[in-house]
Amino acid sequence: MNKKLYAMRSGASCFFMRYAFLLFLFFFSCKKGTDDKVAPPFIITGEWIFMSNTVSTESVTTYIIDDITYRNKITADYVTYNNNGTVTITGNSMVGSDLRFDVITKSYFSFYIGDDNDEDSVEAPFTSYMDTPYAAQQSFQLIGKDSIYFPAGTLMAIPDINGEERTSMTLPQGGTIRGFDNAMKIITTSVDAYSYTEDETTYHVVKKERMETDLAKQF
């Protein structure tokens, strides 16, 4: 065979093999990327230990007296103490057993008249102690890889910052899930809007809450 022709064929063969290898890497990477998008980031089913709740809450009460609008705002940010209990996740259900936690923090009260927006807060203690643990069960829906929705509320009975019996655990809530090596964080938000009348004055309340529930894998 002509040496020049042989060299050309050998070069073409090497070029093809090298190109084929690059194409293989390209398609493998594309397939892997597609699979990564489809596969869930971690498994949430199983037994989990309840570690704590990190809560940020704000409640604004608006009312009118003698044609003047008044607003009261209460805020609090805290991490729960004396946490205990387990959470079992199967299918689309979460079951909490022996759950309990205490709240020991400070709240901040602000009062506004008319169009006044200057904040002048007064600090006050905000505490809540659970005498006995409780059990609860809630359904949930996973949306995509890391979004979650609780149509009837979460497991956590966070106390009402206004000192009422209302609790956000009965409200529909959406949020996200973050997975770690042997831990999971569920982040949810809720809005509770309601009105009540007292001494012929109607009070409109809007309470916003953001909660991070930390769970650790139970082995």
Side-chain angles (χ1 to χ4, degrees):
M1 181 183 293
N2 186 288
K3 290 184 178 180
K4 185 175 181 180
L5 180 59
Y6 177 81
M8 290 176 62
R9 288 183 177 178
S10 297
S13 177
C14 292
F15 178 81
F16 174 79
M17 292 298 293
R18 188 176 303 170
Y19 227 86
F21 179 72
L22 291 175
L23 286 173
F24 170 78
L25 287 179
F26 174 78
F27 286 116
F28 177 80
S29 299
C30 289
K31 184 178 186 303
K32 186 177 186 300
T34 303
D35 290 343
D36 287 345
K37 291 181 180 179
V38 174
F42 58 96
I43 298 174
I44 70 170
T45 55
E47 300 284 339
W48 299 85
I49 301 171
F50 168 58
M51 302 302 292
S52 68
N53 289 316
T54 302
V55 181
S56 178
T57 181
E58 174 191 276
S59 179
V60 177
T61 302
T62 306
Y63 53 99
I64 299 175
I65 298 178
D66 295 333
D67 296 326
I68 300 176
T69 301
Y70 299 89
R71 285 183 297 133
N72 301 337
K73 184 174 76 170
I74 306 176
T75 61
D77 298 284
Y78 58 88
V79 179
T80 56
Y81 294 85
N82 299 327
N83 306 286
N84 187 71
T86 60
V87 176
T88 304
I89 304 177
T90 56
N92 291 323
S93 176
M94 289 189 184
V95 177
S97 303
D98 295 323
L99 294 174
R100 77 165 313 282
F101 51 86
D102 297 330
V103 177
I104 307 172
T105 188
K106 296 177 181 178
S107 62
Y108 297 89
F109 175 82
S110 302
F111 179 69
Y112 306 90
I113 301 176
D115 297 328
D116 177 26
N117 288 314
D118 294 332
E119 186 161 340
D120 186 14
S121 299
V122 176
E123 183 181 296
F126 175 55
T127 58
S128 175
Y129 300 97
M130 287 190 179
D131 295 329
T132 57
Y134 69 96
Q137 180 174 356
Q138 297 285 12
S139 62
F140 70 90
Q141 302 168 8
L142 285 179
I143 305 170
K145 293 198 306 180
D146 58 0
S147 297
I148 192 169
Y149 177 66
F150 294 92
T154 69
L155 296 175
M156 301 303 161
I158 297 299
D160 188 277
I161 197 173
N162 294 310
E164 302 175 13
E165 295 298 324
R166 301 174 71 91
T167 172
S168 62
M169 74 179 297
T170 61
L171 296 174
Q173 298 184 43
T176 59
I177 298 178
R178 295 177 184 172
F180 306 94
D181 288 341
N182 294 305
M184 174 169 60
K185 183 186 295 287
I186 302 176
I187 305 171
T188 56
T189 58
S190 65
V191 177
D192 188 10
Y194 60 95
S195 301
Y196 65 93
T197 301
E198 188 176 282
D199 296 331
E200 299 183 352
T201 299
T202 300
Y203 298 85
H204 304 281
V205 182
V206 177
K207 188 179 72 170
K208 300 178 181 179
E209 189 174 275
R210 183 183 186 275
M211 179 173 58
E212 298 182 7
T213 298
D214 288 303
L215 305 173
K217 194 71 174 179
Q218 181 169 275
F219 296 99

